[in-house]
Amino acid sequence: MKDIEVLIIGGGPAGLCAASAAASMGAKVLICERNQDLGGQLMIQTGKFFGNKHAGMRGFQIGAELLQEIAAYPQIEVWTGATVLGIYEDGVVTCLYQGEHQKIKPAKIIIATGASENFLSFPGNDLPGVYAAGAAETLVHAGVKPAERVLMVGAGNIGLTVSYQLKQSGVDVAAVIEVMPQIGGYLVHASKLQRCGIPIKTSMTIAEAYGNGKVEGAKIVKLDENRQVIPGSEEDIVCDAICLSVGLSPLAELCWLAGCKMACIRELGGCVPLVDQTMETTVSGVYAAGDVSGLEEATTAMLEGRLAGISAAAALGYKVDQAAEMQEACRRELKTLRSGPMSEKIRHGLEKMAAKRGAVVC
Amino acid sequence: MRIEEHPILKFDRGKKITFYYNGEKIEGYENETVAEALHAAGIRRLGYSPELHRPRGLFCAIGNCSSCFMTVNGEPNVRVCVLKCAEGMQVEEQQSKGVVKI
Ligand SMILES: Cc1cc2nc3c(=O)[nH]c(=O)nc-3n(C[C@H](O)[C@H](O)[C@H](O)COP(=O)(O)OP(=O)(O)OC[C@H]3O[C@@H](n4cnc5c(N)ncnc54)[C@H](O)[C@@H]3O)c2cc1C
Ligand code: FES
């Protein structure tokens, strides 16, 4: 059994910021990350960030900075290739690491497991070559060309930015299709694509993927205002990959296992643990931060992680006198980031969370 | 196919590695996952679904969905999208649920 003060599950931007915040206050931290590399979804992003202190930096550059920060703290231990499997009633956490079933007894737990990309049902959706948009981005980041020509399904921010990345990597993007009558993502991203000559087709969806053993093309159809297929509107798209960017769902299984009170809040992406303004769930000593407690962006995930790290360390007795002010600073920054018109959905979701929790959330 | 030039990214692939796919020699790099190296070699089909035997490729590439299960050095159900290439590794397409040897 391994004893540790703060266990962080998931080494994405939220988990890394939680780790450095807790360590900076003096706590001993263990990060368990199931992938071989730390950094989560941030490492595959080549687009420039807007917003706070990271404005102008690219996602993977911010990730590299976080990794340096982590490496500077001797009291942070990192296990990679370590999948956390369970959280038990007596507070024991089990983890598959180096081929062994390890037991960990943490004083505080921060769940920062992120989210997974959604699938979509249509005939042929299981053909090799149907990828989550993030998977195509992961291949590009490793220097592997995901396809020669792709169809992107979904024109939210992820669909738009991944399409641009694919184009930059020499992949032809046949079209971006969107089921809604309007583009979901930021217009800056959409106009970049339009400048490259990539058509964005709204009120369209995928009817079928076809191919012999792998994707060779797709049929797309136009929808009317009631989202019914318009007869005769079918178009054939020749492509060797289809990328789905149709939303994400919080990876909250461990929160369920820990016994956290959960709620399905559409605006936050699905079932999420109810957290308070210190990021603590309804289970004392268990915190949740980042996409797992509500789908948002890397910038907010980092701040939530930081807030959770400060809260956990303070609850252990570290720098209690400074904690309140540090927490407040995080909350102020979060509020600023969430103040724009594009964050209306998130604000709404957080209000719902507060009402369900019966407490203030940040 | 690998991307050689990219306007923003630089690729640190590490050392060249040889491993085997259904007995066939494949070249990969130490910083690539098995799924990435196979993809670069033009191999997208990683196995078959256990019941209907439909071809399967990767989907999420972050170790979350189980779409990329292969048999690696005799061990079934390995997620090759999060497994780095290693010298001499034997990876095989999986046809069934596989049997775990204990
Ligand atoms: C394709 C794509 C493009 C995006 N582009 C942008 C963008 O341009 N700008 C932006 O601001 N945001 C973007 N986002 C959103 C942003 O990446 C996320 O909001 C952010 O990464 C969330 O951080 P996180 O730490 O909560 O989760 P993640 O980054 O998902 O990290 C979670 C980590 O937890 C690990 N994990 C999960 N389960 C376990 C377990 N059981 N045991 C151990 N480890 C586990 C995972 O392997 C992962 O490393 C994008 C997201 C995607 C999918
Ligand atoms: S592709 Fe999803 S687990 Fe490997």
Side-chain angles (χ1 to χ4, degrees):
Chain A
M1 182 90 72
K2 181 179 176 67
D3 282 302
I4 189 78
E5 289 185 323
V6 182
L7 170 67
I8 294 176
I9 308 173
L16 295 179
C17 288
S20 75
S24 74
M25 293 174 73
K28 288 195 186 60
V29 177
L30 170 65
I31 305 176
C32 288
E33 165 56 51
R34 81 177 159 192
N35 287 349
Q36 306 286 338
D37 304 306
L38 290 174
Q41 297 283 24
L42 192 58
M43 301 315 277
I44 58 169
Q45 291 161 23
T46 51
K48 284 187 180 166
F49 276 57
F50 342 111
N52 63 353
K53 65 169 182 181
H54 297 297
M57 283 175 81
R58 301 179 192 279
F60 68 92
Q61 294 167 334
I62 301 172
E65 223 180 71
L66 289 179
L67 294 189
Q68 271 179 5
E69 228 176 283
I70 295 293
Y73 287 109
Q75 69 270 42
I76 301 181
E77 192 180 342
V78 178
W79 291 2
T80 53
T83 306
V84 171
L85 306 170
I87 301 180
Y88 290 81
E89 277 169 5
D90 55 1
V92 173
V93 175
T94 55
C95 176
L96 182 64
Y97 178 51
Q98 296 184 334
E100 303 272 334
H101 195 236
Q102 315 269 357
K103 287 186 186 159
I104 308 166
K105 184 83 210 258
K108 305 284 171 203
I109 301 173
I110 299 175
I111 301 175
T113 43
S116 67
E117 287 177 272
N118 293 342
F119 204 46
L120 194 66
S121 76
F122 54 87
N125 64 358
D126 61 343
L127 281 173
V130 177
Y131 302 137
E137 215 172 13
T138 301
L139 289 174
V140 165
H141 205 82
V144 174
K145 205 170 170 186
E148 292 305 321
R149 185 171 156 88
V150 309
L151 169 69
M152 178 66 67
V153 181
N157 277 329
I158 293 182
L160 298 175
T161 50
V162 173
S163 296
Y164 188 68
Q165 260 219 58
L166 288 171
K167 180 81 192 167
Q168 270 181 331
S169 313
V171 177
D172 191 16
V173 181
V176 181
I177 60 169
E178 166 61 53
V179 69
M180 300 299 285
Q182 72 283 339
I183 294 165
Y186 296 143
L187 285 177
V188 277
H189 296 321
S191 29
K192 262 190 189 166
L193 291 187
Q194 275 155 344
R195 281 200 295 275
C196 303
I198 298 171
I200 305 177
K201 300 173 181 237
T202 52
S203 295
M204 287 204 93
T205 191
I206 179 164
E208 159 190 11
Y210 61 83
N212 184 11
K214 58 182 194 311
V215 169
E216 287 166 8
K219 302 253 188 268
I220 60 173
V221 284
K222 186 102 188 144
L223 303 174
D224 65 19
E225 57 274 22
N226 301 315
R227 286 224 213 165
Q228 298 302 309
V229 174
I230 300 175
S233 65
E234 191 177 285
E235 267 181 58
D236 185 63
I237 302 271
V238 175
C239 56
D240 59 343
I242 296 165
C243 288
L244 304 183
S245 59
V246 290
L248 293 105
S249 301
L251 268 178
E253 290 90 341
L254 291 172
C255 301
W256 288 100
L257 274 178
C260 304
K261 194 168 168 204
M262 310 288 289
C264 281
I265 303 176
R266 198 172 42 87
E267 293 85 345
L268 300 180
C271 277
V272 290
L274 299 180
V275 291
D276 67 9
Q277 56 169 353
T278 67
M279 304 313 292
E280 191 169 25
T281 66
T282 51
V283 177
S284 169
V286 177
Y287 301 78
D291 275 357
V292 70
S293 64
L295 296 179
E296 226 177 319
E297 295 193 336
T299 40
T300 47
M302 288 187 273
L303 277 165
E304 285 191 355
R306 186 170 157 70
L307 179 53
I310 296 167
S311 308
L316 287 166
Y318 292 104
K319 299 212 174 151
V320 181
D321 50 329
Q322 295 164 34
E325 200 178 309
M326 293 168 77
Q327 287 169 323
E328 195 45 45
C330 294
R331 285 194 285 262
R332 265 200 309 273
E333 239 185 289
L334 279 168
K335 201 163 178 187
T336 314
L337 283 173
R338 289 169 177 156
S339 60
M342 293 303 271
S343 301
E344 197 181 326
K345 197 166 123 197
I346 292 294
R347 291 198 297 271
H348 209 138
L350 291 172
E351 276 164 25
K352 282 194 183 171
M353 181 180 294
K356 286 185 198 279
R357 171 100 195 214
V360 184
V361 300
C362 65
Chain B
M1 219 163 78
R2 289 190 174 79
I3 305 168
E4 296 310 334
E5 296 232 345
H6 192 282
I8 297 160
L9 297 170
K10 286 189 187 63
F11 306 113
D12 170 23
R13 297 191 164 99
K15 244 187 25 235
K16 229 180 209 165
I17 296 257
T18 305
F19 67 99
Y20 299 87
Y21 161 77
N22 293 341
E24 180 197 333
K25 239 183 187 173
I26 303 279
E27 272 192 353
Y29 291 88
E30 61 180 350
N31 294 340
E32 282 178 351
T33 63
V34 170
E36 284 157 2
L38 289 177
H39 204 291
I43 297 161
R44 295 210 184 170
R45 190 186 63 218
L46 305 175
Y48 292 87
S49 65
E51 280 176 27
L52 298 176
H53 304 286
R54 292 165 67 91
R56 282 284 180 270
L58 67 88
F59 176 70
C60 72
I62 56 166
N64 204 51
C65 72
S66 320
S67 186
C68 65
F69 275 178
M70 294 185 88
T71 300
V72 178
N73 296 334
E75 187 187 337
N77 306 334
V78 177
R79 294 164 304 172
V80 296
C81 71
V82 289
L83 179 76
K84 293 271 157 79
C85 299
E87 194 61 46
M89 197 180 243
Q90 299 277 351
V91 305
E92 285 157 288
E93 270 183 339
Q94 204 167 302
Q95 304 279 350
S96 64
K97 285 184 180 153
V99 179
V100 181
K101 288 185 215 106
I102 303 176

